[in-house]
Every structure is written in C-alpha cells, then in structure tokens.
C-alpha cells in the first residue's frame, strides 16, 4: 500500500513600509494565516481518513441526540470488536468534532426534568468519561463542518440571525494505532527577498508542512448520522428494533 504525504503551503507577501509602520497588523495577519493553514491541513487529514475507511450511515433518529449517539457508539464498538475478535479492554480511537459536546449539552438541556442527567453542570470531563467507559479514546478536532449563523426568517427583517448546530455528524472509529500520522516536518524559509520583490519594495514569508496518514492496522469506520437535539427519551416515544 502507498500512502502520500501532502504539502500544505502558506506564502504571504507584505510591503516593507507596512511592516515598518504597522508591525502589529503584519503580526496578526501571520497569526490568522497560520490558523487558516492549520484548518486546511486538518481537513486534508480528515479527508484521507474518510477515504480510507468503510462508510457507515446510522439509522434515523428516534430519541434525543445524546441517547442516539451513545447507542450508536455502543453498537459500532460492538460490531468492530466482534469483526476483529478484539478484547473488550482493547482501546479504540474515535475522531469526533469538538462541537459534539455542545450538541450533547443542548440535547440534554431540552429533556424532561428527572430524566437522569445533571444537565446544567455537564462538564467536558463527564462527557469524555462516557467515551472512556466504552474504551474509546476520543480525539476532538476543530474542523470539518461546524456550527454557523443562520437567517431564521428568510431575510425578511435582515436581522433575524440565529445559531445552529449541524445535524450531520461524522466521526471515525478504529483500533488504537490503526492509523499512523505521517509527519514530514516543516519547511520554513522565513523572509524571502529577491530582485523582483526589492523592485516593488516587498518581501514574502513562506512555510510549508508535510503530513498525511497511513493505515497500518485494521480497517476503520467513517460513520455519518443525522441527529438534532430534542431531549426525547425512549419512555416518551415508541421505539422499535429492526
């Protein structure tokens, strides 16, 4: 099998006069450019993980997102372990969007009183413990599809903007160590000046990272589910098994 390391390139051009008179602006532009560079690199890694995994689509939502996700995770973990005859103590690795924690809190905040969760003091550590108790080591990534501002009235007022969490949830699940991060290091040329740049009173800053992933173990799942926060529990709706 061949795995490719991708080059993620960042190159900025600045005016000498701007740098001398407004260095804070140039510093901030560099910082924001590195943020954008990290997002491009992370999305490239996620795309490689997805393309190298078995695509799985979850069944339709019946109860609240928290119960659906934990139920889905239990079934996925059981299927993966059975397929590879793995011990229940063998750790799996899950790659989840960081906003999934917010979705879980939003869902539980809508549930009826007395449903079993302390919904208003739900710390990250407790959420992560739900995954650890299933022997799933969670990695929380910042990229992919995320929450957004939305127009709630079709632009009628021009000011009705709300906040929406994605209903499409995607995550990777595989045996710990099945995917290897390929770190090719960075090529940081720093400040670049040549005759053409000098003639226009400019300079460039250049950095390039080399990274990728390679599957060196078992197969992996890339799971897609469409869940939204409703707070519904199984006792309040009719639940059937296929």
């Amino acid at each position: 099998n061949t795995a490719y390391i991708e080059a993620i390139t960042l190159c900025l051009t600045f005016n000498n006069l701007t740098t001398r008179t407004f260095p804070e602006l140039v510093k901030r532009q560099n910082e924001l450019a590195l943020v954008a560079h990290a997002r491009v690199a992370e999305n490239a890694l996620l795309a490689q993980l997805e393309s190298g995994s078995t695509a799985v689509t979850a069944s339709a939502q019946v109860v609240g997102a928290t119960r659906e996700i934990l139920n889905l995770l239990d079934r996925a973990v059981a299927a993966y372990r059975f397929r590879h005859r793995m011990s229940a103590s063998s750790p799996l690795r899950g790659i989840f969007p960081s906003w999934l924690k917010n979705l879980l809190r939003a869902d539980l905040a809508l549930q009826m009183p007395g449903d079993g969760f302390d919904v208003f003091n739900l710390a990250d550590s407790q959420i992560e413990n739900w995954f650890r108790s299933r022997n799933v080591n969670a990695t929380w990534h910042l990229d992919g599809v995320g929450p957004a501002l939305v127009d709630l009235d079709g632009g009628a007022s021009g000011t009705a903007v709300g906040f929406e969490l994605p209903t499409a949830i995607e995550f990777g699940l595989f045996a710990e160590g099945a995917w290897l991060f390929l770190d090719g290091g960075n090529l940081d040329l720093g400040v670049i000046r040549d005759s053409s740049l000098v003639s226009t009173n400019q300079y460039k800053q250049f950095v390039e990272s080399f990274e990728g992933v390679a599957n060196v173990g078992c197969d992996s799942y890339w799971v897609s589910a469409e869940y939204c926060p409703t707070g519904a529990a199984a006792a309040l709706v009719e639940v059937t098994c296929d």
Side-chain angles (χ1 to χ4, degrees):
N1 294 326
T2 301
Y4 294 94
I5 295 178
E6 296 189 12
I8 311 297
T9 304
L10 171 64
C11 185
L12 301 175
T13 302
F14 295 102
N15 292 316
N16 290 321
L17 183 59
T18 301
T19 303
R20 291 180 64 86
T21 58
F22 202 171
E24 298 85 359
L25 174 64
V26 173
K27 178 182 177 182
R28 187 57 177 157
Q29 288 175 335
N30 273 301
E31 291 171 346
L32 292 174
L34 289 173
V35 170
H37 179 272
R39 172 155 287 177
V40 171
E42 185 97 334
N43 281 327
L45 293 178
L46 292 173
Q48 290 180 58
L49 286 173
E50 181 179 2
S51 65
S53 301
T54 300
V56 180
T57 301
S59 55
Q61 181 172 358
V62 177
V63 293
T66 302
R67 290 167 172 82
E68 289 282 9
I69 290 168
L70 295 179
N71 182 19
L72 171 63
L73 186 64
D74 271 319
R75 287 182 287 150
V77 166
Y80 193 94
R81 293 187 189 282
F82 181 81
R83 175 180 174 84
H84 296 290
R85 203 173 185 271
M86 295 175 63
S87 165
S89 61
S90 299
L92 301 183
R93 172 65 60 176
I95 310 295
F96 304 97
S98 59
W99 53 262
L100 180 60
K101 298 178 184 179
N102 302 99
L103 176 66
L104 299 178
R105 291 191 182 94
D107 177 66
L108 293 177
L110 294 174
Q111 73 178 7
M112 293 185 67
D115 272 356
F117 289 107
D118 185 3
V119 298
F120 302 115
N121 294 299
L122 189 58
D124 282 359
S125 58
Q126 184 174 348
I127 293 175
E128 291 168 0
N129 190 54
W130 295 345
F131 294 85
R132 282 195 299 269
S133 66
R134 292 162 172 81
N135 269 333
V136 175
N137 299 325
T139 295
W140 305 96
H141 67 81
L142 298 174
D143 299 297
V145 178
L149 291 171
V150 295
D151 190 343
L152 299 179
D153 65 354
S157 67
T159 59
V161 174
F163 306 96
E164 290 294 336
L165 292 167
T167 57
I169 304 162
E170 296 185 0
F171 65 89
L173 185 70
F174 46 87
E176 188 70 88
W179 284 94
L180 176 67
F181 174 61
L182 305 178
D183 186 359
N186 295 331
L187 176 62
D188 189 351
L189 300 183
V191 175
I192 302 173
R193 300 182 189 275
D194 57 25
S195 58
S196 60
L197 289 169
V198 170
S199 66
T200 57
N201 207 22
Q202 294 177 313
Y203 68 93
K204 292 181 182 291
Q205 287 190 261
F206 178 92
V207 64
E208 191 171 43
S209 63
F210 303 91
E211 52 194 89
V213 291
N215 187 291
V216 294
C218 301
D219 61 351
S220 60
Y221 299 154
W222 191 265
V223 185
S224 300
E226 293 189 1
Y227 298 148
C228 62
T230 66
L236 306 178
V237 298
E238 181 181 353
V239 179
T240 60
C241 295
D242 296 331

